[in-house]
Amino acid sequence: MGYPQIEHHGAKDGVTGSCHQLDMNATTSLLVDCGLFQGDDASIPSGEGGSRLLIDFPLDTIKALVVTHVHIDHVGRIPYLLAAGFEGPILCSEASAKLLPIVLEDAFKLSFSRDQQRIERYIDIVESRLVALPYQHWFTLVDTEELNARIRLQRAGHIIGSAYVEIDLNYPQAGESKRIVFSGDLGAPHAPFLMPPQSPERADILVLESTYGDRIHEDRQTRRQRLEALIEQALQDQGTVLIPAFSIGRTQELLYELEEIIHTRSVGASSLTNMLPSETVPASSASVGASLLANSTTDRPPLATEMSATPIPPLSTETRAAPIPPLPAGERAGVRGREAMPENGITSERAGLRSKEASPAISNDAEQPPLPLRERAGERGQKAAANHSPDQTTTNWPELPIILDSPLASRFTAAYRELKPFWSQEARDRVQSGRRPLGFEQLITIDSHSDHQRIVNHLAQTARPAIVIAGGGMCSGGRIVNYLKAMLGDKRHNVLFVGYQAKGTPGYAIQTFGPKGGYVDLDGERFDIRAGINSIGGYSAHADQKGLVEFVTGMQQWPTEIRVVHGEQKAKQALATRFHELYPQHDRPPAAITTGGAGDATEQDVLHA
């Protein structure tokens, strides 16, 4: 049997768990990603979620692991890979080399041990294995008489540091060569911080993600206006807007655009942190503590006019320390930031690691009749958002608390600030103009678990208008779960989804069945959903079908084989069908397209010009 060959150890039958092995010859292979299974993917095919954490393939030929980016569904099984005996280098982009130890430290704590000495030894091993590659730089993996193999990373535009992988294989004795491209996760245009991906020059074999292979995103260029309108409408319900967000990528994009909204709406209003002693806001940090909210004793949300006319007086250090100790200053990320990790914090998007009984139970309409329309605050917001004018609102944006409640996200945000050379020109220009897109004055970061609990209780009891961005992008774990438990049953609050929700996760249940008056199980307890539920699709960090197609059609030499992975079967099939249409239209040579579905044995579709 000829080489190269590709084996898929994840993301072939679902969206998560990306892990692909490129067999270059009988004795040499490369592993591309080693991610965690999430949601329903965690129980495919055996029905035992834990079994999919195991490394069930031999490691003897694997010479290196290359990481496309640091999201957990691409790197979450690396602790298990190391435990299984993998001793090779870990190749990634320069920015990913900064972020990966933070992700893997958290994954190790959740999967293996919270013992500090074990964590230190583990991170030392990870850091000793890292090989940081500049973009557009060819790196030689193998150079023998039988095989010459080199790889190159190119910007993927998904999150900071993300890359797609080009692999050149030359077989001197056989006089043959192949170029294989692994897309990783490709980004969409108009993303804050990032430049969009550019297509490779060519590919013989392309392994292509298809998360949104069956749809077109909402316009990303106007998403800030939609975000502003939805938040304005939700705040008219006199409650809190909860945004579940992945700790890396989505959180930083949200902060970037919230800062833009506040910047454009700041007309003579005093900022939130002007109410606090100036020394609590370090110039290089956005961490101002939780005291403003936690010290409030009002039993109703203050009106915007009250907030402007009667600002909360500055608190002395002693007064502030009594109810809630001041939080540590924010420049605590670095690469490790071990000293800042809260002992009791829960900070990971860890669907797939949780027990089976934590999976959501979702009602249908027969079991749980929809609430009357007047009870659906979220539906009101959804219908009104399109026509809502921000000028009609009384929301005082410069004094609206923006609460980032995820120690892990805070560490990543600090790391993002240190990675400015990898930002887009627009983002760097903002910094040059004196603005702080990731450290603006209204941003309150919550670190300790006790402060987190107090903020949850305060907002649940008072329904004070605020925006909370909390860790746990699919609501399967992280601090967002406690907010949801406390607020889902209250129609004054709203949940705003800005990211993909995998089937089988609580986020999917809330997003899908919440508007119908459904319920969700969180940690084995059932919660009715009465809060408003909204989604903004334009915030996806993944390319849509148009972007995925353009990645291929932008090549000078189109692939003769496309393996469509990392998507639900419907999305994969829709994308494959689109390629079926395009190849003949553009007079391209035949190509074989597979989707990992049951019909693949007969689906080696040859497209004729």
Side-chain angles (χ1 to χ4, degrees):
M1 186 178 295
Y3 290 95
Q5 300 172 15
I6 300 175
E7 304 173 69
H8 303 286
H9 305 303
K12 179 182 179 181
D13 50 17
V15 181
T16 62
S18 287
C19 186
H20 314 283
Q21 185 173 347
L22 174 65
D23 295 314
M24 297 179 278
N25 61 24
T27 60
T28 309
S29 66
L30 175 71
L31 201 63
V32 180
D33 288 336
C34 194
L36 192 70
F37 293 99
Q38 297 177 285
D40 283 354
D41 293 349
S43 59
I44 299 173
S46 65
E48 295 292 335
S51 67
R52 301 213 81 179
L53 296 172
L54 301 178
I55 303 300
D56 57 0
F57 49 90
L59 307 178
D60 54 314
T61 67
I62 299 176
K63 304 304 181 185
L65 166 68
V66 59
V67 169
T68 61
H69 66 286
V70 302
H71 273 156
I72 200 72
D73 62 323
H74 288 255
V75 301
R77 276 190 288 167
I78 289 179
Y80 296 89
L81 184 69
L82 298 180
F86 174 71
E87 296 182 350
I90 302 173
L91 313 176
C92 62
S93 72
E94 294 171 303
S96 289
K98 174 78 172 177
L99 302 170
L100 186 59
I102 304 175
V103 177
L104 295 184
E105 178 182 329
D106 190 66
F108 186 85
K109 288 179 177 179
L110 292 169
S111 304
F112 289 94
S113 172
R114 299 185 72 88
D115 178 79
Q116 194 61 35
Q117 290 187 343
R118 290 190 65 189
I119 294 169
E120 293 276 350
R121 289 195 298 269
Y122 166 70
I123 296 300
D124 286 341
I125 292 172
V126 169
E127 291 179 336
S128 69
R129 303 277 186 86
L130 286 176
V131 178
L133 302 180
Y135 290 122
Q136 302 181 340
H137 171 77
W138 283 108
F139 177 82
T140 299
L141 282 172
V142 181
D143 190 6
T144 67
E145 293 182 357
E146 181 184 353
L147 172 67
N148 177 270
R150 59 179 189 161
I151 75 168
R152 180 169 65 179
L153 303 183
Q154 302 277 30
R155 295 177 186 271
H158 178 59
I159 62 170
I160 200 163
S162 61
Y164 65 83
V165 186
E166 296 178 289
I167 305 168
D168 266 359
L169 301 180
N170 291 288
Y171 301 90
Q173 296 175 347
E176 296 179 354
S177 64
K178 290 282 186 182
R179 176 169 290 187
I180 300 95
V181 174
F182 289 84
S183 72
D185 285 354
L186 296 175
H190 310 297
F193 303 109
L194 304 174
M195 291 172 275
Q198 294 184 345
S199 301
E201 178 185 358
R202 64 183 181 88
D204 296 302
I205 303 172
L206 171 64
V207 179
L208 179 64
E209 71 118 326
S210 60
T211 309
Y212 288 104
D214 60 343
R215 68 195 75 179
I216 303 298
H217 289 326
E218 298 175 49
D219 182 10
R220 292 172 63 89
Q221 291 180 295
T222 62
R223 70 181 191 178
R224 183 182 66 79
Q225 288 81 5
R226 297 197 310 277
L227 174 69
E228 182 175 356
L230 279 172
I231 290 176
E232 291 276 14
Q233 184 62 39
L235 291 172
Q236 290 184 17
D237 292 334
Q238 292 297 304
T240 297
V241 178
L242 303 177
I243 306 179
F246 295 103
S247 297
I248 180 167
R250 200 64 46 82
T251 291
Q252 290 75 33
E253 289 193 12
L254 281 167
L255 295 179
Y256 185 92
E257 296 205 332
L258 288 169
E259 187 273 343
E260 173 67 11
I261 295 171
I262 293 169
H263 177 76
T264 58
R265 300 292 292 274
S266 295
V267 281
S270 59
S271 67
L272 176 65
T273 35
N274 285 339
M275 302 176 187
L276 297 174
S278 59
E279 63 269 18
T280 65
V281 187
S284 59
S285 170
S287 178
V288 299
S291 55
L292 178 63
L293 293 180
N295 286 335
S296 174
T297 57
T298 180
D299 57 1
R300 61 165 176 81
L303 299 177
T305 53
E306 292 173 336
M307 293 176 67
S308 300
T310 313
I312 299 173
L315 303 174
S316 68
T317 303
E318 293 77 10
T319 302
R320 198 168 58 250
I324 287 188
L327 298 176
E331 290 301 327
R332 57 187 182 276
V335 172
R336 301 191 187 185
R338 297 165 184 159
E339 69 282 355
M341 291 300 291
E343 182 176 350
N344 298 320
I346 304 172
T347 60
S348 174
E349 290 73 70
R350 61 178 190 259
L353 289 180
R354 297 175 62 86
S355 61
K356 289 173 62 181
E357 56 269 19
S359 61
I362 306 168
S363 73
N364 56 36
D365 291 341
E367 296 171 323
Q368 185 86 346
L371 294 173
L373 182 61
R374 63 180 181 273
E375 296 292 318
R376 300 303 307 149
E379 291 179 1
R380 294 200 306 274
Q382 197 167 26
K383 293 176 181 177
N387 299 319
H388 179 70
S389 171
D391 295 334
Q392 297 172 359
T393 183
T394 59
T395 301
N396 191 339
W397 277 88
E399 294 187 3
L400 181 68
I402 313 295
I403 301 168
L404 175 59
D405 193 350
S406 168
L408 190 61
S410 296
R411 293 178 66 192
F412 283 128
T413 301
Y416 258 61
R417 291 199 294 266
E418 296 175 7
L419 292 168
K420 289 187 183 72
F422 297 94
W423 291 15
S424 66
Q425 188 60 49
E426 175 195 281
R428 294 198 300 270
D429 288 345
R430 285 195 187 184
V431 175
Q432 288 295 320
S433 70
R435 291 166 59 181
R436 293 187 292 159
L438 296 181
F440 50 94
E441 293 176 337
Q442 291 77 15
L443 180 61
I444 300 171
T445 63
I446 305 300
D447 195 353
S448 77
H449 192 61
S450 60
D451 286 349
H452 157 71
Q453 291 176 315
R454 292 176 184 179
I455 289 295
V456 171
N457 293 337
H458 173 77
L459 293 177
Q461 291 168 7
T462 66
R464 176 175 182 164
I467 299 173
V468 174
I469 304 170
M474 296 186 190
C475 307
S476 300
R479 292 186 172 181
I480 190 64
V481 174
N482 289 334
Y483 286 99
L484 294 171
K485 289 178 180 179
M487 300 184 187
L488 270 180
D490 188 337
K491 65 182 181 181
R492 294 175 297 178
H493 302 299
N494 283 264
V495 181
L496 177 59
F497 288 102
V498 295
Y500 178 80
Q501 302 301 307
K503 286 185 177 180
T505 62
Y508 180 85
I510 296 167
Q511 184 183 55
T512 305
F513 296 93
K516 302 176 183 179
Y519 62 84
V520 63
D521 277 6
L522 299 168
D523 292 335
E525 185 178 355
R526 180 168 295 179
F527 294 86
D528 293 329
I529 305 171
R530 295 190 176 91
I533 309 297
N534 285 293
S535 300
I536 301 182
Y539 272 85
S540 172
H542 287 266
D544 59 9
Q545 185 187 85
K546 181 175 182 289
L548 295 170
V549 167
E550 289 177 349
F551 184 74
V552 174
T553 58
M555 300 183 193
Q556 294 180 22
Q557 177 187 316
W558 291 16
T560 56
E561 180 182 350
I562 301 177
R563 295 189 174 212
V564 183
V565 299
H566 201 287
E568 296 173 1
Q569 192 59 35
K570 178 184 175 183
K572 290 191 289 186
Q573 192 57 56
L575 185 59
T577 299
R578 184 66 183 132
F579 287 128
H580 281 292
E581 299 166 350
L582 287 171
Y583 268 74
Q585 291 174 8
H586 290 265
D587 295 324
R588 294 290 173 165
I593 302 174
T594 58
T595 64
D600 266 355
T602 58
E603 199 182 271
Q604 301 291 334
D605 296 297
V606 179
L607 309 179
H608 299 283

